[in-house]
Amino acid sequence: MTIRVLHVASELYPLLKTGGLADVTGALPLALVERGADVRVLLPGFPPVVAGLADLKPVARLAHPFHAHASGDEAWLEQGTLEATGVTVYVIRAPSLFDRPGNPYMDDEHVPYGDNAPRFALLGWTAAQLAQRIDPLWAPQIVHAHDWHAGLAPAYLRAAERERGRALAKSVFTVHNLAYQGIFPAQSFYQLGLPHDFFTMHGAEFYGQLSFLKTGLFFSDRLTTVSPSYAREIQTLSQGCGLDGLLRQRTHELSGILNGVDYAVWNPATDTTIAARYTPSRLTKKRDCKTALQARLGLAQHGDALLFGVVSRLTEQKGLDLLLAAVPEIVRRGGQLAVLGTGDPALEAGLLRAAHAHPESVALERGFDEALAHSIISGSDVVAVPSRFEPCGLTQMYALAYGSLPLVHRVGGLADTVVDASLENLADDLATGFVFERFEPEAIAAAIRRAFALYARRTDWRTTQQRAMRQDFGWGASAERYMALYRELAG
Ligand code: ADP
Ligand code: GLC
């Protein structure tokens, strides 16, 4: 039996991406289709999404219950195709809510849009409409909602089922990051057309406010998150962001399914965006990538300098303040650091200061640049991901594929994907990177020293690179687990 699944999310690579969520929604649907599922995706009609879809055609008018007050606020549903994969995408056209340039969540001053509650409520509401056959030709059996943006989908679904007195679809809610919760003042809840009795402690309310994330966690049939370690961590007081109690209550309905790598996009043997292509057995070409990266960023052209790369949102989560404190140690040992990122102004300023202090050894490129991300992942010797917490993390898995050894904090998905180059792990052919236990300067400094020490042993370094490159973090195994979950739910 083919299972019909609707993925509901706010971004999707290659149409619109601010982080790893887009990589997941870009790759997972196809992996599910390859395993026999009938998968469609629902996205808000942000300008690049509308512009990037082929064969757009109207499906239905959306008479949603929370119209903005201005005129010209009508909304309708269209359907198009993602050319790269052939996946069908439903897109919500609501110009007054989505037709804004730039970041989908906030304005140019980094201030979240004041109407984010109705903007993303419309996403969840439309998902429930699809379960109610607003498209006469297709309706999902499973609504799979991602992160807080889609958090109201399971609640609208539950409300519709109550009203109609029958089951419509099952829901799965995936937490990509518990730290982003979509919290709004209580009064906004009453404008969203949900049953008022949903706004309680056992529902959408979170300490007197509306939480989109909690709503998703509470009303969905099953919960998943993006690594086994993070699934455990979020059930603890220290890492549960206030939701650990609810997550512990639902522990039997919660599973951690590791994200995968889309090797069609991240593969050094076929990557046309990098300076040279290479494989585990032909690693010498990787040096061309390093030389090109040093040239591009104005770093000294030292082939032997151990080059650390970072591709990251610059937020507290990512722990780059810890790496920044280790810059003098890296430079003193003859290493280099290349950072691509954008975000927190204080962090940007700190990295810029380091780059000015050591222009030949440290470079910061501010912005979001897909091609440069590939250049850094391929051209670096080490890719640093020292996150305070990390639900899964994709860049360390991309780094493995490119033979750029990840240096990571042992937390969340980082702990599940990288094995430290300790003597015993090297001896047992297990090592793939550098892992530090405690989030402290001494701990990261020791991991950095381990990286320099291994780099000095060229044969061991190459063997470790080859082992890293041969790890399989493709979507296969994880897609199978989602399929099993869907089958169980669909009965
Ligand atoms: P998160 O989703 O928390 O940002 P992930 O590691 O899961 O972390 O995914 C980050 C994704 O975003 C990766 O594909 C990474 O290459 C990409 N990325 C992050 N920052 C940038 C940037 N400044 N330019 C280009 N790509 C970036
Ligand atoms: C989030 C997390 C990241 C994860 C990504 C995709 O943005 O911060 O760890 O890899 O979602 O699931």
Side-chain angles (χ1 to χ4, degrees):
M1 182 193 71
T2 311
I3 298 181
R4 295 181 308 277
V5 186
L6 179 72
H7 282 260
V8 188
S10 60
E11 38 185 284
L12 180 146
Y13 175 85
L15 301 180
L16 172 67
K17 164 166 163 179
T18 70
L21 170 64
D23 290 356
V24 174
T25 55
L28 176 59
L30 188 62
L32 296 168
V33 168
E34 284 165 356
R35 280 157 188 82
D38 176 2
V39 182
R40 297 190 175 190
V41 183
L42 172 66
L43 297 171
F46 300 121
V49 170
V50 174
L53 289 170
D55 308 324
L56 269 181
K57 58 177 190 219
V59 175
R61 227 178 69 77
L62 297 173
H64 62 86
F66 37 94
H67 276 266
H69 303 295
S71 61
D73 63 349
E74 49 298 314
W76 66 100
L77 189 66
E78 290 181 1
Q79 135 183 7
T81 311
L82 250 181
E83 275 194 320
T85 57
V87 170
T88 297
V89 177
Y90 290 107
V91 55
I92 304 168
R93 304 298 304 274
S96 64
L97 295 176
F98 300 134
D99 211 349
R100 299 171 196 175
N103 186 291
Y105 316 117
M106 49 201 179
D107 64 20
D108 289 344
E109 322 277 67
H110 293 260
V111 180
Y113 288 119
D115 56 354
N116 272 350
R119 290 173 91 220
F120 292 102
L122 182 57
L123 180 63
W125 180 85
T126 307
Q129 291 293 305
L130 278 158
Q132 294 167 80
R133 298 213 149 266
I134 194 172
D135 178 354
L137 300 178
W138 193 91
Q141 292 160 285
I142 309 277
V143 172
H144 188 155
H146 298 268
D147 266 359
W148 76 261
H149 321 105
L152 297 197
Y156 281 116
L157 193 58
R158 192 67 64 83
E161 290 182 333
R162 187 160 83 180
E163 202 180 300
R164 289 167 183 243
R166 64 183 174 88
L168 293 166
K170 297 289 184 186
S171 56
V172 176
F173 184 64
T174 296
V175 179
H176 294 264
N177 197 330
L178 201 71
Y180 297 96
Q181 304 195 343
I183 305 265
F184 301 94
Q187 59 269 28
S188 54
F189 176 85
Y190 298 101
Q191 289 151 16
L192 300 180
L194 279 165
H196 287 194
D197 63 303
F198 279 15
F199 195 68
T200 73
M201 205 173 110
H202 303 291
E205 187 217 342
F206 186 60
Y207 296 102
Q209 293 183 291
L210 163 63
S211 163
F212 274 47
L213 186 79
K214 187 187 166 201
T215 305
L217 293 177
F218 186 87
F219 286 100
S220 58
D221 293 304
R222 286 287 190 287
L223 306 175
T224 75
T225 187
V226 287
S227 70
S229 286
Y230 193 61
R232 285 190 297 276
E233 290 163 4
I234 57 178
Q235 296 181 58
T236 64
L237 183 64
S238 63
Q239 291 170 83
C241 301
L243 292 162
D244 47 292
L246 173 57
L247 289 162
R248 280 195 302 276
Q249 259 169 38
R250 301 207 62 189
T251 187
H252 299 298
E253 291 142 343
L254 165 65
S255 47
I257 304 179
L258 200 67
N259 287 334
V261 174
D262 185 347
Y263 290 119
V265 179
W266 294 96
N267 178 354
T270 55
D271 193 333
T272 51
T273 67
I274 61 178
R277 274 139 297 286
Y278 57 93
T279 60
S281 50
R282 289 194 55 223
L283 261 173
T284 42
K285 286 275 174 201
K286 181 168 164 58
R287 266 192 239 140
D288 299 352
C289 297
K290 181 170 177 176
T291 311
L293 179 62
Q294 287 170 326
R296 155 97 197 247
L297 296 178
L299 294 169
Q301 299 271 306
H302 293 157
D304 281 344
L306 184 63
L307 176 50
F308 292 75
V310 170
V311 177
S312 184
R313 293 184 290 117
L314 301 182
T315 62
E316 205 201 345
Q317 170 189 347
K318 299 296 177 179
L320 294 166
D321 43 328
L322 202 63
L323 185 64
L324 191 57
V327 163
E329 177 74 8
I330 292 175
V331 172
R332 196 177 62 75
R333 289 176 180 269
Q336 297 181 331
L337 173 64
V339 180
L340 167 63
T342 172
D344 177 20
L347 211 47
E348 279 188 16
L351 287 162
L352 264 189
R353 269 197 302 278
H356 286 143
H358 313 281
E360 302 234 291
S361 310
V362 179
L364 167 68
E365 192 76 22
R366 281 179 294 178
F368 200 93
D369 182 336
E370 198 69 37
L372 184 56
H374 283 247
S375 303
I376 291 185
I377 299 283
S378 62
S380 303
D381 299 300
V382 175
V383 167
V385 193
S387 310
R388 284 187 166 73
F389 67 93
E390 195 61 75
C392 179
L394 292 166
T395 50
Q396 85 282 7
M397 294 196 273
Y398 301 158
L400 288 170
Y402 283 71
S404 311
L405 303 184
L407 186 150
V408 306
H409 179 209
R410 203 173 102 173
V411 74
L414 302 172
D416 295 342
T417 52
V418 184
V419 179
D420 183 57
S422 64
L423 277 178
E424 61 275 27
N425 286 336
L426 284 167
D428 290 347
D429 293 330
L430 297 170
T432 57
F434 310 95
V435 183
F436 62 96
E437 195 90 15
R438 283 163 296 110
F439 191 83
E440 289 169 4
E442 300 73 34
I444 195 173
I448 288 170
R449 281 161 49 213
R450 264 198 315 289
F452 277 101
L454 190 68
Y455 194 56
R457 294 160 40 176
R458 291 300 157 107
T459 310
D460 287 337
W461 184 271
R462 195 170 348 99
T463 312
T464 309
Q465 281 182 302
Q466 290 167 334
R467 189 180 305 115
M469 293 176 80
R470 292 192 172 116
Q471 303 291 307
D472 179 6
F473 285 109
W475 271 105
S478 303
E480 286 297 346
R481 293 198 57 196
Y482 284 114
M483 287 300 288
L485 187 67
Y486 298 155
R487 282 196 201 101
E488 183 197 324
L489 279 173

